[in-house]
């Protein structure tokens, strides 16, 4: 006679007053994987917090300078929003299809093989991740000097401390990192919407650019394309939610919602703030301003405006720093797990269940960047280094629908094939314009990508049995 399975405790068998045992969130997870503990809101907070950093406080001046007219400035921000939204709508199909750590890295590997995936991870490791962490931390530290006098060495010390703080929180547990991200994101969005509301309530519309006729004019369309790169840098962060896909609960439904919903919040905040800046500042003054948010706030709040904006920058950059620390190391973790990098990088902490070695690597690189470099706007390097991979990820939707039509797709790209095709068309035109208008920085970005080829071949030969 076969043995009977031991009975599970039902509600009838449970003694009165005794609660049902809590379900183990890690039950059913393969060994060596990251547990799924992120809600759709926390995933959206990663996207929102990583995207809204320092860009909205500096890029509007570039857009005003290169755009040259109120209509061109509006067109820049709307074009950047639509282009990025098309990318998010398309990548959402891949996020629901392959909900694993690494995001874009995973999609490139599934569609095109290990070489493009490795090149993406290499570019993220060599350029993007340390530059983002170090750069955001330096902006955070520099604005701290608004409230207390700081020397250059002290500013670097605060930047290092900020990286170590968010690195330590995320090393300890995903819950700590998510808690920081949720609180900072809510506070950031409410504060920025509040600032825009105060400017609209107290500002004089006759003094700003809204008094000028709306014309879609620009001195050179090449300058428009260069300014679009800066605008896209401000929108960069929309793909960060895909990097934590392996830790999202119910990913088939949650990831598309987080990508589209989170980016909609970003677009709303950006367009509202730009409208507020233009409400009180003439376009020429906005183009000359290095601290456009502070100048706009000073118009309605006087001397206190600069302190208010400095506080907002501190809040915004700290949330972006934590979001970058939550998302970026997952790419290194995926590289390690696939054997395309040191396998130790793909280790999971035995108690915290975090990719602790990958987080430690990202923290070390960010601190090293702060220690040896000063931060200037590197929008072109960030965007031009990443955008070819974003284009490949969008192209992957076409390729996988043709080569693997049998895959169950919980979410299908809205507007397919028009939406992904327009993304590829405009992105290709932007990269071509960047190559013609700024060949050195563009070739530098492509050179960083190309430097990954010999590294990949050496690594494969070294790791071959």
């Amino acid at each position: 006679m076969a043995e009977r399975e031991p009975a599970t405790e039902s509600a009838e068998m449970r003694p009165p007053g005794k609660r049902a045992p809590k379900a183990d969130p890690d039950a059913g997870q393969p060994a060596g994987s990251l547990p799924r503990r992120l809600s759709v809101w926390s995933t959206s907070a990663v996207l929102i917090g990583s995207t809204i950093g320092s860009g909205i406080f500096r890029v509007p001046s570039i857009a005003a300078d290169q755009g040259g007219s109120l209509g061109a400035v509006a067109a820049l921000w709307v074009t950047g929003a639509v282009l990025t939204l098309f990318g998010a709508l398309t990548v959402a199909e891949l996020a629901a299809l392959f909900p694993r750590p690494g995001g874009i890295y995973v999609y490139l590997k599934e569609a095109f093989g290990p070489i493009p995936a490795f090149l993406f991870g290499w570019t993220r490791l060599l350029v993007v991740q340390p530059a983002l962490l170090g750069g955001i931390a330096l902006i955070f530290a520099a604005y701290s000097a608004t409230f207390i006098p700081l020397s250059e060495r002290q500013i670097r010390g605060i930047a290092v401390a900020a990286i170590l703080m968010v690195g330590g929180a995320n090393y300890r547990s995903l819950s700590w990192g998510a808690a920081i991200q949720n609180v900072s994101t809510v506070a950031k969005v409410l504060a920025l919407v509040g600032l825009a509301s105060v400017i609209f309530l107290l500002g004089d519309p006759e003094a700003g650019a809204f008094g000028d006729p709306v014309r879609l004019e620009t001195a050179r369309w090449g300058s428009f394309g260069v300014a679009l790169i800066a605008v896209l840098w401000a929108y960069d962060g929309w793909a960060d939610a895909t990097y934590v896909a392996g830790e999202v609960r119910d990913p088939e439904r949650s990831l598309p919602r987080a990508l589209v919903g989170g980016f909609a919040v970003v677009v709303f905040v950006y367009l509202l703030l730009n409208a507020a800046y233009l409400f009180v500042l003439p376009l020429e003054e906005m183009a000359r301003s290095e601290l456009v948010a502070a100048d706009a706030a000073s118009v309605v709040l006087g001397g206190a405006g600069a302190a208010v904006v400095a506080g907002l920058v501190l809040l915004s950059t700290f949330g972006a720093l934590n979001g970058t620390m939550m998302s970026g190391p997952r790419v290194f973790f995926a590289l390690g797990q696939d054997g395309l990098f040191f396998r130790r990088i793909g280790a999971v902490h035995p108690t915290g269940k975090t990719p602790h070695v990958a987080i430690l690597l990202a923290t070390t690189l960010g601190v090293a960047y702060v220690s040896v470099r000063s931060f200037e706007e590197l929008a072109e390097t960030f965007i031009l280094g990443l955008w070819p991979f974003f284009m490949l990820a969008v192209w992957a939707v076409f390729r996988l629908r043709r080569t693997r039509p049998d895959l169950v797709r919980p979410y299908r790209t809205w507007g397919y094939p028009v939406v992904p095709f327009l993304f590829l068309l405009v992105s290709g035109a932007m990269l071509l314009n960047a190559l013609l208008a700024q060949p050195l920085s563009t070739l530098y970005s492509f050179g960083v990508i190309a430097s990954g080829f010999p590294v990949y071949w050496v690594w494969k030969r070294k790791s071959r049995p």
Side-chain angles (χ1 to χ4, degrees):
M1 181 183 294
E3 288 188 347
R4 296 183 59 186
E5 294 283 340
T8 57
E9 185 183 46
S10 65
E12 292 79 4
M13 298 169 59
R14 196 180 309 128
K18 182 181 177 183
R19 293 186 177 181
K22 185 179 291 187
D24 182 3
D26 301 338
Q29 288 288 109
S33 64
L34 302 171
R36 296 192 179 276
R37 295 176 177 174
L38 284 179
S39 65
V40 64
W41 159 242
S42 295
T43 310
S44 298
V46 172
L47 186 153
I48 298 168
S50 299
T51 304
I52 304 177
S54 62
I56 190 58
F57 301 102
R58 304 178 71 172
V59 173
S61 298
I62 301 174
D65 180 46
Q66 300 289 342
S69 69
L70 183 59
V73 171
L76 277 170
W77 286 99
V78 171
T79 300
V82 171
L83 181 62
T84 311
L85 178 61
F86 282 3
L89 287 169
T90 306
V91 169
E93 177 173 322
L94 301 173
L97 193 58
F98 305 111
R100 304 202 297 269
I104 302 295
Y105 162 84
V106 175
Y107 316 148
L108 297 180
K109 188 169 182 287
E110 291 288 343
F112 304 108
I115 295 180
F118 175 85
L119 292 178
F120 171 74
W122 171 255
T123 304
R124 182 92 195 183
L125 173 68
L126 184 66
V127 176
V128 177
Q129 186 72 20
L132 279 174
L133 286 173
I136 295 170
L138 279 171
I139 291 178
F140 173 85
Y143 272 88
S144 301
T146 305
F147 304 100
I148 51 174
L150 295 171
S151 66
E152 178 66 25
R153 177 176 294 183
Q154 289 171 326
I155 288 175
R156 290 183 182 274
I158 290 177
V160 168
I163 294 175
L164 292 175
M165 181 185 299
V166 297
N170 284 278
Y171 184 101
R172 173 65 180 79
S173 77
L174 178 66
S175 299
W176 283 31
I180 294 173
Q181 196 63 25
N182 292 344
V183 172
S184 63
T185 297
V186 171
K188 177 193 306 189
V189 170
L190 292 178
L192 292 176
V193 171
L195 172 64
S197 301
V198 168
I199 292 175
F200 282 124
L201 286 173
L202 303 181
D204 179 10
E206 298 299 324
F210 281 2
D212 301 334
V214 179
R215 298 188 302 271
L216 183 59
E217 297 177 353
T218 184
R220 299 190 313 273
W221 285 105
S223 299
F224 184 93
V226 171
L228 182 60
I229 296 174
V231 169
L232 290 173
W233 180 75
Y235 281 119
D236 182 48
W238 61 274
D240 282 19
T242 69
Y243 303 147
V244 297
E247 295 153 279
V248 178
R249 296 196 299 262
D250 191 14
E252 291 79 7
R253 298 178 59 195
S254 297
L255 283 168
R257 291 179 180 180
L259 281 166
V260 177
F263 188 71
V265 173
V266 172
V267 172
F268 169 75
V269 172
Y270 277 11
L271 296 183
L272 182 68
L273 278 173
N274 273 280
Y277 298 157
L278 292 165
F279 189 73
V280 293
L281 294 176
L283 194 64
E284 296 77 13
E285 184 177 341
M286 186 171 167
R288 293 192 302 269
S289 174
E290 294 185 0
L291 301 171
V292 60
D295 290 343
S298 298
V299 170
V300 297
L301 299 176
V308 169
V309 170
L312 286 176
V313 173
L314 288 174
L315 176 63
S316 184
T317 50
F318 186 77
L321 188 66
N322 186 72
T324 302
M325 185 63 76
M326 282 186 71
S327 56
R330 270 66 182 176
V331 178
F332 309 156
F333 172 82
L335 277 166
Q337 288 232 319
D338 287 345
L340 294 179
F341 203 49
F342 296 103
R343 287 197 177 274
R344 181 62 181 160
I345 305 297
V348 177
H349 195 280
T351 56
K353 301 298 182 183
T354 60
H356 61 298
V357 180
I359 291 172
L360 184 62
L361 173 62
T363 303
T364 303
L365 290 173
V367 168
Y369 186 93
V370 167
S371 303
V372 300
R373 295 193 61 180
S374 62
F375 179 75
E376 297 296 332
E377 288 290 77
L378 296 175
E380 295 147 13
T381 302
F382 293 156
I383 290 302
L384 295 177
L386 286 178
W387 213 257
F389 297 108
F390 292 159
M391 293 176 66
L392 273 179
V394 169
W395 183 17
V397 173
F398 290 101
R399 180 176 175 82
L400 289 171
R401 286 208 183 185
R402 186 180 70 254
T403 60
R404 301 173 70 179
D406 56 312
L407 291 175
V408 177
R409 290 167 169 80
Y411 167 85
R412 287 179 172 267
T413 299
W414 179 86
Y416 180 90
V418 176
V419 163
F421 174 76
L422 288 176
F423 178 91
L424 293 173
L425 182 66
V426 177
S427 298
M430 180 193 70
L431 290 180
L432 178 60
N433 177 77
L435 184 61
L436 296 175
Q438 296 180 323
L440 290 180
S441 60
T442 305
L443 291 174
Y444 168 76
S445 299
F446 293 166
V448 169
I449 297 172
S451 68
F453 280 106
V455 177
Y456 174 81
W457 289 324
V458 170
W459 181 263
K460 292 300 289 183
R461 288 181 63 86
K462 175 180 175 295
S463 59
R464 184 177 299 162

